[in-house]
């Protein structure tokens, strides 16, 4: 290939790389200072009301943000309801366990924001704000997680397809290499993987996601026997029903580093949780953050801010929906 052709290829690659980062750099906490200055307080008020109604609001909202960002980026495409002939991300197998309370929180916040600032704030940004508030407001006392400034300026995605979800989300039975690869595909590191996994310190999981560990024969050597017995008492062997269990039995209403101390004691609920401690590559981070809530909080903030930059839509790639669950 001639030198001029190689030069053109390099220029095109550079332009692509810069354009991929352009929407990230446009995100800023003060994005709505002129168009909707009260958006943060409006969303926070709704999250507080929903939390007071049910603690399920917290974990459901956080999980919704994660599932949105890992499939087609942080563009609120997971919120779109299916229509005849078009099953959306919401109805993909990996998303069917997403709880109603998360969706309801974002819809309620969007309605309140629209009443104050019509056609100004995207559902993607409302979901990002609601997630931060769920972390901070996890409990009525001061046991919430770290506060952080939410970068804003995302647009809502223009498409949502159930087919796009497969293989994009971590699975409880994934190997460490698989987990690392999924995070790396979005520019997230192993440190981000461990820190974000600690969101499991709040919320619930259905027995179907972990019962095989509790009933395994021979017993799962990484699972604390007393914890396994407790899980068996909550999850029927015949799977005649699929109840939920708090992911962190020690402090289910606190966003803290207890998650890592649980792993040290063989108390990770999902196989992918406990793997963080059994794998030598991630165990040092588990031990470090188990020993320091401040260090964990710092790492978590860094990770979730980085997550919020994944696949951000701008320009003709998106718009601002009037309702979060239907396209304009």
């Amino acid at each position: 290939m001639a030198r001029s052709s190689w030069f053109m290829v390099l220029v095109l690659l550079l332009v692509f790389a810069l354009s991929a980062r352009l929407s990230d750099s446009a995100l800023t906490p003060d994005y709505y200072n002129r168009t909707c200055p009260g958006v943060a307080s409006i969303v926070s008020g709704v999250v507080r009301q929903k939390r007071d109604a049910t603690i399920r609001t917290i974990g459901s909202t956080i999980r919704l943000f994660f599932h949105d960002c890992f499939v087609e980026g942080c563009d609120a495409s997971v919120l779109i309801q299916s229509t005849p002939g078009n099953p959306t991300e919401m109805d993909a197998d990996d998303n069917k366990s997403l709880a109603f309370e998360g969706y309801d929180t974002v819809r309620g916040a969007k309605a309140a924001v629209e009443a104050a600032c019509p056609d100004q704030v995207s559902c993607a940004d409302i979901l990002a704000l609601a997630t931060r508030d769920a972390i901070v407001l996890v409990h009525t006392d001061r046991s919430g997680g770290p506060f952080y400034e939410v970068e804003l300026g995302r647009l809502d995605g223009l498409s949502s397809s159930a087919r796009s979800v497969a293989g994009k989300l971590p699975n409880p039975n994934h190997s460490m290499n698989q987990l690392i690869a999924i995070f790396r595909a979005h520019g997230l590191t192993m440190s981000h993987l461990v820190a974000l996994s600690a969101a499991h310190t709040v919320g619930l999981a259905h027995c179907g996601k972990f019962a095989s560990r509790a009933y395994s024969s021979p017993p799962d050597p990484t699972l604390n026997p007393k914890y396994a017995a407790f899980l068996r008492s909550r999850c029927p062997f015949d799977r005649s029903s699929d109840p939920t269990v708090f992911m962190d039995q020690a402090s289910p209403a606190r966003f803290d580093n207890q998650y890592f101390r649980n792993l040290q004691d063989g108390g990770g609920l999902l196989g992918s949780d406990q793997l963080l401690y059994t794998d030598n590559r991630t165990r040092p981070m588990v031990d470090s953050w188990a020993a320091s809530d401040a260090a964990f909080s710092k790492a978590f903030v860094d990770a979730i801010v980085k997550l919020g930059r994944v696949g951000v839509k701008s320009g003709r790639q998106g718009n601002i929906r009037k309702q979060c669950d239907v396209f304009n």
Side-chain angles (χ1 to χ4, degrees):
M1 184 181 292
R3 287 186 178 181
S4 59
S5 298
W6 274 113
F7 178 75
M8 287 302 298
V9 170
L10 290 173
V11 169
L12 288 172
L13 288 173
L14 179 60
V15 169
F16 176 80
L18 288 174
S19 63
R21 294 177 179 270
L22 185 59
S23 59
D24 291 356
S25 62
L27 296 177
T28 173
D30 60 3
Y31 187 84
Y32 296 108
N33 277 10
R34 292 186 178 181
T35 57
C36 193
V39 61
S41 61
I42 294 171
V43 174
S44 178
V46 173
V47 173
R48 190 183 300 272
Q49 291 173 357
K50 299 294 185 180
R51 178 211 60 192
D52 290 346
T54 172
I55 191 62
R56 288 173 60 93
T57 294
I58 301 303
S60 300
T61 303
I62 298 170
R63 189 166 177 239
L64 192 61
F65 181 64
F66 184 92
H67 279 235
D68 182 49
C69 292
F70 262 55
V71 181
E72 306 301 332
C74 306
D75 64 353
S77 53
V78 74
L79 303 176
I80 294 292
Q81 292 188 350
S82 296
T83 56
N86 179 38
T88 61
E89 293 176 30
M90 180 186 292
D91 288 321
D93 287 342
D94 287 343
N95 284 336
K96 287 181 178 178
S97 62
L98 291 174
F100 163 80
E101 289 81 3
Y103 293 110
D104 187 55
T105 297
V106 178
R107 292 188 194 113
K110 174 64 170 177
V113 171
E114 282 295 307
C117 316
D119 304 319
Q120 297 299 323
V121 184
S122 68
C123 297
D125 278 345
I126 288 174
L127 176 54
L129 285 166
T131 299
R132 187 274 309 279
D133 295 332
I135 291 166
V136 173
L137 300 172
V138 65
H139 200 265
T140 53
D141 63 16
R142 295 185 178 181
S143 59
F147 178 88
Y148 57 94
E149 294 285 352
V150 178
E151 297 177 337
L152 302 168
R154 304 167 186 80
L155 290 180
D156 297 323
L158 303 177
S159 64
S160 180
S161 170
R163 294 189 301 272
S164 65
V165 177
K168 300 287 183 61
L169 294 165
N171 184 290
N173 298 316
H174 273 161
S175 68
M176 181 57 71
N177 286 341
Q178 288 173 311
L179 293 173
I180 291 172
I182 288 174
F183 276 73
R184 186 175 292 160
H186 298 292
L188 300 171
T189 67
M190 192 160 54
S191 174
H192 295 140
L193 159 63
V194 179
L196 290 170
S197 295
H200 289 172
T201 192
V202 294
L204 303 102
H206 285 272
C207 286
K209 294 291 186 180
F210 59 82
S212 59
R213 297 186 69 220
Y215 284 103
S216 67
S217 181
D220 184 338
T222 69
L223 184 61
N224 185 304
K226 291 183 178 179
Y227 188 43
F230 166 78
L231 295 178
R232 289 193 295 271
S233 74
R234 295 294 188 273
C235 302
F237 177 74
D238 61 2
R239 301 195 181 184
S240 54
S241 61
D242 194 19
T244 56
V245 172
F246 280 118
M247 301 194 77
D248 177 357
Q249 292 294 326
S251 60
R254 294 179 182 273
F255 198 99
D256 56 18
N257 64 340
Q258 180 63 46
Y259 170 83
F260 297 112
R261 295 196 291 272
N262 292 342
L263 300 185
Q264 291 175 319
D265 191 42
L269 183 63
L270 305 179
S272 54
D273 289 324
Q274 196 58 46
L275 186 60
L276 301 180
Y277 190 68
T278 58
D279 192 288
N280 290 331
R281 289 169 289 182
T282 49
R283 183 184 293 184
M285 283 178 275
V286 172
D287 287 336
S288 174
W289 295 336
S292 172
D293 195 51
F296 157 61
S297 293
K298 184 177 183 299
F300 183 83
V301 167
D302 174 70
I304 200 162
V305 169
K306 187 69 180 291
L307 174 63
R309 298 170 181 166
V310 170
V312 170
K313 304 297 189 295
S314 63
R316 295 183 179 180
Q317 298 173 327
N319 60 20
I320 295 176
R321 291 183 211 138
K322 191 72 175 178
Q323 293 180 225
C324 290
D325 54 359
V326 295
F327 292 121
N328 290 348

